[in-house]
Amino acid sequence: MATAKLSAADSEKLSKLQSAVSGLSEISENEKSGFINLVSRSLSGEAQRVEWGKIKTPTDEVVVPYDSLAPTPEDPAETKKLLDKLVVLKLNGGLGTTMGCTGPKSVIEVRNGLTFLDLIVIQIESLNSTYGCNVPLLLMNSFNTHDDTQKIVEKYAKSNIEIHTFNQSQYPRLVVEDFMPLPCKGNKGKEGWYPPGHGDVFPALKNSGKLDALLSQGKEYVFVANSDNLGAVVDLKILKHLIQSKNEYCMEVTPKTLADVKGGTLISYEGKVQLLEIAQVPDEHVNEFKSIEKFKIFNTNNLWVNLKAIKRHVEADALKMEIIPNPKEVDGIKVLQLETAAGAAIRFFDRAIGINVPRSRFLPVKATSDLLLVQSDLYTLNDGFVIGNKARAKPENPAIELGPEFKKVANFLSHFKSIPSIIELDSLKVTGDVWFGAGITLKGKVVVAAKSGVKLEIPDGAVIANKEINGPADI
C-alpha cells in the first residue's frame, strides 16, 4: 500500500514531534522510530477502507474446520519432533486493575490456588516431561508488568521449562491539543506512556533479540495467546497441520454466539484472507456485521505464526496493520494512543489460514463472572488444563451477570462460602448485597436481587431453580 503524502502542516507537526521524541531518554532508538513511523502512517490517513461489496465468506480451504485436521501422530518420537519446533508466547502486558487486583493480571488465582501463570507453566512442563522436548515459554510484558513478572517467574526456576521475558515497546502518549509527547509536559510518571497494543509483538520479538535466538535453536512456530485465555493450550493437530501445509500464519476462530457479536471476523477480500474489525465497518453495515448469520466466526486471538516469516516481514517493515486510535484522558489532558492488533497481520503472510476451533479453546477470564464459571463444577482441573464437565448438557456456558458488589476479586470471593453448583444453570443475574452459603445449587434461570441497603443471605445447601429471589421468603 503506497503511503499517502503528508500535507505541509502535517509534515511540520511530525518533524516537531520527532525532535521532541528524540530527546526522550527513557526509550530506545527502535522505540522512537517505531512510534514516529506509526504516527506518520496515521497522519497520512492510509487507513484501509473496506468496500462492503467485495467482502466474501471464506471457504473451508481458508478457514479450515478443526474436525478435518489429521489426527496427531501415534509415535511419541514424531510428537517430540513437532514440539521441538514450537515456542509458546503469552501476552502478559495487562494489569488486573479491572478486577481490583494489583500487579499483572496473570497472577490472579484462577482455581485451586493456582494462577493463570501457574497453569500455563504446569501445562508446558507436562508436555516437556511427557515427550522429552523443550518447549520454551515467552512472556511479552509491558513496562506496567515487567518488574513484577521478573520477580514472579523466579518461583519457576526449578521447573522443567525455560522461561524468557521481553518487553513490548513503550511509546509516549500524544497530547491532542498540540501534538506533543505527554512526557515532555513534565509528566515523568508511567501515565506519560503506553504499550501500543499486541500488534507490537512482532517487532518487539525481533528488537529484543529473542527472535534470532529462537531461530538459532531450530524453533519454527510461535503460538501466541492472551495469558487470560484458559482455553489456549498447545494443540498438536494444529501444529502438525501448519508445518505440513507450510502456512505462515494461522488464526483460531470459533463460532459466534450472541455474546461475541463485536469480535473481529475473518473474510476473503481481494483474494486474501483478512481480519475485519467492527471499527472498520461502515455505520450502515454494523448490524449486518453483528449478525450471526452472515459472519459466523470470530477471532479468539490464539495465533500461530512462522518465526522466519516474522523476521522477514519485520526486517522489511512490511507489517502495516490497521491503526486503532485509543483516546484517553490523563489528569484532565486529552491524549491519544495509537495501537495495532496482532490479528490484523494475517493479510501480510503467505498461505495464511483460519482454523475453526471448538469453543473450548476460548475461555477468557475478563471479569469475576468468568471466574465464577471456571471455579465451578462446569470445569475440572487436570495437569494444569481446565477441562469442561461432560455432565453439562448444553454446549454453551450459562450467562452470568454480577452486580458491582462482585466486581473485585476479593469481594467476589468473600460473597461465596463455596462456589455453587451451576451444571444445570442457564442464566444468573445477581444485584445488591447478596451472600451465598456453601453447597448451593442453581438451575435454569435464576435472578437474585437484594433490596437496596438490605443484606440477603442464601442459606447453605439451598437449591434454587427458575426463580427470582428478592428476599428470604422467596428461597
Side-chain angles (χ1 to χ4, degrees):
M1 211 182 302
T3 308
K5 290 299 280 176
L6 292 183
S7 69
D10 280 347
S11 293
E12 193 183 339
K13 260 165 100 172
L14 191 66
S15 80
K16 273 189 178 162
L17 178 65
Q18 198 158 4
S19 63
V21 167
S22 66
L24 295 171
S25 57
E26 297 90 335
I27 56 175
S28 68
E29 291 308 312
N30 275 332
E31 287 168 316
K32 289 174 188 177
S33 64
F35 173 67
I36 292 298
N37 195 347
L38 196 60
V39 175
S40 157
R41 278 179 54 212
S42 159
L43 285 172
S44 72
E46 59 152 53
Q48 209 205 3
R49 296 274 169 264
V50 176
E51 283 186 47
W52 202 253
K54 288 185 178 177
I55 291 175
K56 294 191 168 65
T57 301
T59 61
D60 281 1
E61 279 76 60
V62 182
V63 176
V64 180
Y66 183 81
D67 292 340
S68 74
L69 300 180
T72 47
E74 300 278 310
D75 181 2
E78 284 301 305
T79 301
K80 174 180 163 27
K81 248 190 229 168
L82 284 177
L83 287 169
D84 278 333
K85 297 177 177 181
L86 182 68
V87 182
V88 173
L89 189 158
K90 298 288 181 178
L91 302 169
N92 189 51
L95 293 165
T97 36
T98 47
M99 293 171 75
C101 298
T102 53
K105 185 174 178 188
S106 57
V107 300
I108 291 175
E109 288 187 4
V110 182
R111 192 164 169 138
N112 301 14
L114 299 170
T115 66
F116 289 106
L117 213 44
D118 292 338
L119 295 175
I120 291 161
V121 169
I122 294 166
Q123 289 163 15
I124 298 175
E125 257 197 316
S126 136
L127 281 176
N128 287 342
S129 306
T130 306
Y131 297 103
C133 54
N134 174 21
V135 176
L137 171 63
L138 269 75
L139 299 173
M140 182 168 85
N141 301 324
S142 64
F143 60 88
N144 288 317
T145 59
H146 175 260
D147 294 350
D148 286 338
T149 303
Q150 293 304 89
K151 292 191 194 82
I152 291 154
V153 296
E154 284 172 14
K155 77 174 191 179
Y156 306 118
K158 293 193 168 62
S159 307
N160 180 17
I161 180 176
E162 255 181 57
I163 300 179
H164 303 267
T165 60
F166 67 102
N167 265 15
Q168 72 181 110
S169 306
Q170 175 173 339
Y171 287 175
R173 285 176 159 155
L174 258 182
V175 178
V176 173
E177 191 188 0
D178 62 359
F179 215 67
M180 280 283 122
L182 186 58
C184 295
K185 306 280 183 189
N187 193 327
K188 286 293 179 197
K190 278 187 176 174
E191 50 282 348
W193 308 89
Y194 76 99
H198 47 58
D200 187 51
V201 64
F202 306 118
L205 252 182
K206 173 81 180 66
N207 294 339
S208 66
K210 298 293 180 195
L211 183 58
D212 288 332
L214 293 164
L215 284 166
S216 71
Q217 293 167 20
K219 303 297 180 193
E220 291 180 23
Y221 277 87
V222 60
F223 172 39
V224 180
N226 296 353
S227 60
D228 65 5
N229 179 7
L230 295 170
V233 299
V234 170
D235 188 293
L236 291 163
K237 280 169 76 165
I238 295 176
L239 180 59
K240 182 183 172 186
H241 182 86
L242 301 181
I243 292 171
Q244 284 186 337
S245 313
K246 298 188 166 56
N247 303 111
E248 287 189 349
Y249 187 112
C250 164
M251 173 187 289
E252 293 185 38
V253 293
T254 197
K256 259 189 199 182
T257 67
L258 290 170
D260 319 299
V261 291
K262 289 183 176 168
T265 191
L266 281 184
I267 56 171
S268 287
Y269 192 80
E270 297 182 331
K272 297 207 88 159
V273 61
Q274 75 179 52
L275 183 66
L276 177 66
E277 298 274 16
I278 195 160
Q280 295 164 278
V281 177
D283 291 348
E284 66 271 24
H285 293 292
V286 165
N287 283 342
E288 197 180 336
F289 175 82
K290 287 180 172 178
S291 90
I292 298 178
E293 275 65 56
K294 179 163 182 179
F295 299 103
K296 296 186 167 72
I297 52 173
F298 75 100
N299 169 24
T300 62
N301 217 39
N302 298 349
L303 310 169
W304 302 71
V305 196
N306 179 282
L307 292 170
K308 277 188 183 150
I310 295 176
K311 183 176 164 78
R312 187 178 81 235
H313 285 312
V314 172
E315 286 177 349
D317 193 23
L319 297 175
K320 299 195 186 308
M321 283 91 89
E322 289 72 27
I323 295 170
I324 306 154
N326 186 357
K328 301 254 177 188
E329 204 167 287
V330 179
D331 300 331
I333 302 170
K334 286 189 165 55
V335 295
L336 188 61
Q337 301 181 176
L338 300 176
E339 303 174 5
T340 62
I346 190 166
R347 64 191 174 94
F348 300 104
F349 288 85
D350 295 339
R351 289 185 289 280
I353 58 167
I355 293 181
N356 194 346
V357 298
R359 182 75 186 199
S360 58
R361 295 191 55 74
F362 184 67
L363 185 57
V365 178
K366 300 289 180 198
T368 50
S369 50
D370 301 320
L371 216 45
L372 176 61
L373 294 172
V374 301
Q375 292 186 353
S376 75
D377 55 354
L378 286 175
Y379 293 95
T380 54
L381 193 60
N382 186 4
D383 267 346
F385 297 95
V386 177
I387 298 161
N389 186 339
K390 298 274 190 290
R392 169 107 179 141
K394 294 195 167 177
E396 70 276 6
N397 273 337
I400 309 277
E401 211 181 309
L402 301 176
E405 294 79 3
F406 293 80
K407 189 172 192 248
K408 294 183 173 179
V409 174
N411 297 354
F412 162 81
L413 292 172
S414 69
H415 277 258
F416 290 96
K417 259 199 217 168
S418 70
I419 299 293
S421 164
I422 56 173
I423 207 87
E424 293 177 53
L425 182 68
D426 295 328
S427 65
L428 171 67
K429 184 175 181 177
V430 181
T431 52
D433 191 18
V434 180
W435 296 75
F436 290 84
I440 290 166
T441 304
L442 305 174
K443 300 179 182 188
K445 290 192 163 93
V446 176
V447 176
V448 187
K451 293 185 177 68
S452 181
V454 180
K455 181 176 180 177
L456 175 54
E457 294 187 19
I458 310 293
D460 295 355
V463 177
I464 301 169
N466 292 307
K467 260 190 186 173
E468 178 161 345
I469 291 172
N470 301 106
D474 302 328
I475 298 167

